[in-house]
């Protein structure tokens, strides 16, 4: 029977960590992820878990310790944000290439500089091509659920890759909401016991981790790693189906909301989907055919699912909570463009950069995006497909 609670997203993930009864957690504090290892260290001190908790001297060390634990045969996890994730950057690639299925809670926050401790997606997006699977939660409930599902996804023999389970800093990490926790026994059965395929301390075989990879072999190894990333998409669907059986909550790589007959659609990631759904409901009550596509799995990118979901729309706005300064748009927009590149039915497509550094995104801002799309269709196109939402000046 589900346990009804009122928790923040950070508390929810810390509870998921406790229920998974991890072998090793290594962490260094950084806002707004600090609460997760703080709560978890209390569980360790109170004897509620048998986890080895390693309070390291930096985020680089945290990831190094987690990778070392994984290749030694131990299930490991950590949490970080922003500059902490950036400090891990070297080890993110190492963990992915070693096929170490670390699960990390990433509490998204703007990258410095200028220094800012509030939410956007610039940290996760900057690390999106390091070989890590990325999941993004809209709510604390989703953060809890996705964190638990991440272990089955990461450790599946067809995948064997690390997972970044992301939620929006402060917006979901610190805001308290109603949530349903699964019973400890149910979680224990769901995540199971970690049974690594290859591990350094296995006395029955000889295994090397991290050797020099010459030009004669590296490309083949990267090809295998890339295939594992592609495998993650169907494996996630399988894991989500198993999770639905024990929780009643359904997940997929994308979520569609009122898209069946929608002429205008918004595509986005994370907590802003809640605001967008409210606007969609309001506009629908006025007879406007609008809808929303929320991306749950950003890496690997759900190309076919996105193309199908957008195939019936006339105009689409992709909202990015990070600006890569590429001159052509945000990372979500770029991937959506690729997804639609070979589609027979391609809608008008525009990009909005929004919410940087924690700037509020209010219902009237989302409504303005839908109104802009209506004007674009009426004018037969647009003058600029790289736009900023709720920003002062030119």
């Amino acid at each position: 029977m589900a346990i009804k609670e009122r928790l923040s997203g950070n508390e929810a993930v810390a509870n998921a960590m406790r229920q998974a009864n991890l072998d090793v957690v290594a962490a260094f504090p950084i806002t707004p992820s600090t609460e997760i290892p703080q709560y978890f260290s209390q569980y360790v001190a109170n004897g509620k878990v048998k986890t080895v908790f390693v309070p390291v001297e930096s985020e680089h060390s945290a990831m190094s310790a987690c990778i070392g634990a994984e290749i030694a045969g131990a299930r490991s996890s950590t949490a970080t944000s922003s500059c902490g994730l950036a400090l891990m950057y070297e080890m993110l690639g190492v963990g992915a290439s070693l096929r170490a299925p670390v699960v990390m809670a990433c509490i998204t926050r703007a990258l410095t500089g200028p220094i800012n401790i509030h939410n956007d997606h610039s940290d996760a997006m900057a690390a999106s091509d390091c070989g890590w699977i990325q999941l993004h939660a809209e709510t604390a409930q989703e953060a809890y659920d996705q964190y638990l599902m991440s272990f089955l996804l990461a450790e599946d023999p067809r995948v064997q890759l690390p997972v970044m389970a992301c939620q929006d800093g402060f917006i979901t990490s610190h805001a308290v909401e109603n949530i349903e926790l699964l019973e400890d026994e149910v979680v224990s059965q769901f995540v199971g016991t970690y049974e690594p395929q290859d591990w350094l301390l296995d006395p029955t075989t000889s295994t090397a981790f991290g050797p020099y990879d010459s030009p004669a072999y590296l490309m083949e190894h990267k090809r295998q790693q890339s295939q594992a990333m592609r495998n993650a998409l169907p494996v996630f669907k399988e894991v989500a189906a198993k999770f639905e059986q024990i929780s009643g909550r359904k997940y997929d790589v994308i979520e569609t909301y009122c898209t069946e007959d929608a002429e205008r659609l918004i595509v986005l990631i994370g907590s802003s989907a809640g605001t967008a759904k409210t606007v969609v409901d309001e506009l629908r009550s006025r007879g406007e055919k609008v809808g929303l596509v929320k991306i749950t799995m950003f890496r690997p990118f759900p190309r076919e699912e996105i193309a199908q979901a957008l195939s019936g729309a006339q105009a689409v706005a992709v909202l990015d909570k990070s600006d890569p300064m590429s001159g052509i748009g945000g990372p979500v927009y770029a991937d959506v463009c690729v997804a639609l590149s070979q589609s027979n039915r391609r809608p008008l497509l525009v990009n909005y950069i929004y919410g940087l550094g924690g700037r509020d995104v209010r219902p009237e801002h989302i409504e303005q995006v839908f109104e802009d799309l209506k004007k674009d269709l009426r004018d037969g196109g647009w003058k600029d497909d790289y736009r900023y939402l709720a920003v002062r000046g030119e």
Side-chain angles (χ1 to χ4, degrees):
M1 184 176 180
I3 303 166
K4 296 186 182 297
E5 271 284 9
R6 290 184 297 275
L7 299 174
S8 68
N10 279 347
E11 290 177 292
V13 169
N15 267 279
M17 278 184 166
R18 175 187 61 79
Q19 292 178 314
N21 201 21
L22 302 162
D23 297 312
V24 174
V25 168
F28 186 83
I30 183 169
T31 302
S33 70
T34 301
E35 288 183 329
I36 294 176
Q38 176 186 343
Y39 286 126
F40 188 78
S41 65
Q42 293 173 353
Y43 298 141
V44 175
N46 294 336
K48 293 186 177 181
V49 291
K50 298 179 181 179
T51 307
V52 175
F53 184 79
V54 187
V56 293
E57 73 276 12
S58 74
E59 290 86 358
H60 187 284
S61 299
M63 184 50 59
S64 299
C66 285
I67 294 169
E70 287 286 351
I71 65 176
R75 181 180 273 164
S76 69
S77 187
T78 188
T80 196
S81 300
S82 185
C83 303
L85 183 63
L87 187 55
M88 289 181 179
Y89 189 85
E90 176 190 9
M91 300 314 296
L92 295 180
V94 171
S97 65
L98 292 182
R99 310 293 292 277
V102 179
V103 172
M104 173 166 61
C106 177
I107 314 306
T108 55
R109 167 191 148 187
L111 279 174
T112 300
I115 190 168
N116 178 287
I117 66 167
H118 300 283
N119 168 253
D120 64 32
H121 296 158
S122 54
D123 53 356
M125 293 300 156
S128 63
D129 294 331
C130 290
W132 283 60
I133 296 164
Q134 270 195 26
L135 304 176
H136 287 262
E138 176 187 340
T139 62
Q141 183 72 69
E142 289 190 9
Y144 170 80
D145 294 346
Q146 290 174 17
Y147 181 83
L148 290 177
M149 287 189 284
S150 294
F151 291 103
L152 272 68
L153 176 59
E155 296 167 7
D156 189 284
R158 294 163 291 180
V159 179
Q160 286 290 304
L161 288 173
V163 177
M164 207 177 291
C166 307
Q167 62 170 307
D168 287 353
F170 293 108
I171 299 172
T172 60
S173 68
H174 284 62
V176 175
E177 64 181 71
N178 292 328
I179 187 173
E180 287 190 356
L181 301 178
L182 298 171
E183 293 175 317
D184 291 355
E185 298 79 10
V186 174
V187 172
S188 180
Q189 292 177 6
F190 178 72
V191 299
T193 302
Y194 181 36
E195 298 180 358
Q197 288 186 303
D198 299 295
W199 46 295
L200 198 60
L201 303 183
D202 184 355
T204 65
T205 187
S206 298
T207 305
F209 286 89
Y212 174 72
D213 215 355
S214 71
Y217 297 104
L218 186 136
M219 193 164 177
E220 282 72 23
H221 290 153
K222 287 300 176 184
R223 170 67 178 80
Q224 292 172 359
Q225 190 179 334
S226 180
Q227 182 60 56
M229 179 63 76
R230 290 195 289 272
N231 292 347
L233 204 150
V235 170
F236 177 79
K237 293 174 182 284
E238 294 175 14
V239 172
K242 292 178 182 178
F243 188 80
E244 184 181 4
Q245 292 176 357
I246 63 170
S247 68
R249 295 186 286 275
K250 184 177 179 63
Y251 290 97
D252 205 339
V253 293
I254 66 170
E255 178 188 338
T256 56
Y257 190 79
C258 299
T259 59
E260 294 80 3
D261 63 342
E263 297 172 351
R264 288 167 286 149
L265 290 173
I266 281 178
V267 179
L268 49 68
I269 282 176
S271 61
S272 300
T275 304
K277 289 174 182 176
T278 300
V279 175
V280 168
D281 290 343
E282 172 62 25
L283 294 180
R284 282 266 168 182
S285 71
R286 302 180 204 166
E288 300 200 37
K289 295 181 178 181
V290 298
L292 168 72
V293 176
K294 182 185 75 177
I295 298 173
T296 299
M297 174 176 270
F298 183 65
R299 285 290 179 270
F301 192 75
R303 177 176 179 169
E304 294 180 4
E305 288 80 1
I306 286 290
Q308 177 61 35
L310 304 185
S311 63
Q314 296 177 20
V316 174
V318 180
L319 274 58
D320 270 286
K321 220 173 191 180
S322 64
D323 188 350
M325 314 296 175
S326 65
I328 59 172
V332 182
Y333 175 71
D335 284 0
V336 170
C337 287
V338 172
L340 294 175
S341 62
Q342 297 184 27
S343 175
N344 293 327
R345 298 186 63 184
R346 282 175 284 185
L348 296 177
L349 196 63
V350 297
N351 187 206
Y352 285 83
I353 306 297
Y354 80 106
L356 301 185
R359 176 159 298 189
D360 284 342
V361 182
R362 299 192 293 270
E364 56 265 33
H365 298 145
I366 302 296
E367 188 168 348
Q368 183 61 54
V369 172
F370 281 120
E371 190 62 29
D372 289 349
L373 291 180
K374 182 188 292 186
K375 184 177 184 299
D376 290 332
L377 287 171
R378 187 171 61 243
D379 294 346
W382 57 79
K383 294 181 180 179
D384 183 14
D385 62 352
Y386 192 177
R387 306 170 180 177
Y388 288 81
L389 185 61
V391 65
R392 295 185 293 274
E394 296 298 326

